[in-house]
Amino acid sequence: MSGKRSWKLVLAAVFGCFSVWLSGPTGEPGEFAHAADTLNVEGLPKDLKAYRAQIDQMLKKVDALIEKLKTQPNATAIVLDLQQTRDDILRELPKIETAPGDAKWTAQEMRNSVDAKLKLLKEQYEKAVALAG
């Protein structure tokens, strides 16, 4: 009888650990996946090429999420928001890289504008990930 009981205790312990692992520390399903899937827009490199490379990586993640969400009818608004913000960033990046002589903004002001759009994109991305859940 004690062999059967030990087996049941082991199964209960394994199942309990597995369900805690799946649900996260507060019991919210998929909490770890949402927390880990975000865009890091803080501390971007000062070097222009490295800055552009990191932004390109972020935009690839955004594009992948957009493709995933396009099949969900309730995600149309967030998809449009993501696309618009992504396109705004893509339009402004060349301004930083070339800084035309007749530009009314300094290179730093242009970068600040892109950084602000990246923060907006991060917020939209996190909402979209929760919706895609």
Side-chain angles (χ1 to χ4, degrees), residues 23-92:
S23 67
T26 60
E28 292 295 321
E31 180 177 342
F32 286 129
H34 294 310
D37 196 8
T38 187
L39 302 176
N40 184 9
V41 299
E42 301 299 323
L44 293 172
K46 299 228 183 269
D47 177 66
L48 204 49
K49 286 185 180 185
Y51 179 74
R52 176 65 188 250
Q54 278 198 287
I55 291 175
D56 287 342
Q57 289 289 71
M58 284 184 239
L59 295 180
K60 284 180 186 177
K61 283 179 73 171
V62 169
D63 287 339
L65 183 58
I66 287 170
E67 287 305 311
K68 181 179 179 181
L69 288 172
K70 279 184 177 180
T71 61
Q72 297 182 13
N74 63 335
T76 303
I78 194 70
V79 166
L80 292 173
D81 286 344
L82 286 167
Q83 288 173 329
Q84 182 174 355
T85 306
R86 177 203 59 204
D87 292 348
D88 287 347
I89 291 168
L90 287 171
R91 270 192 297 279
E92 289 201 19

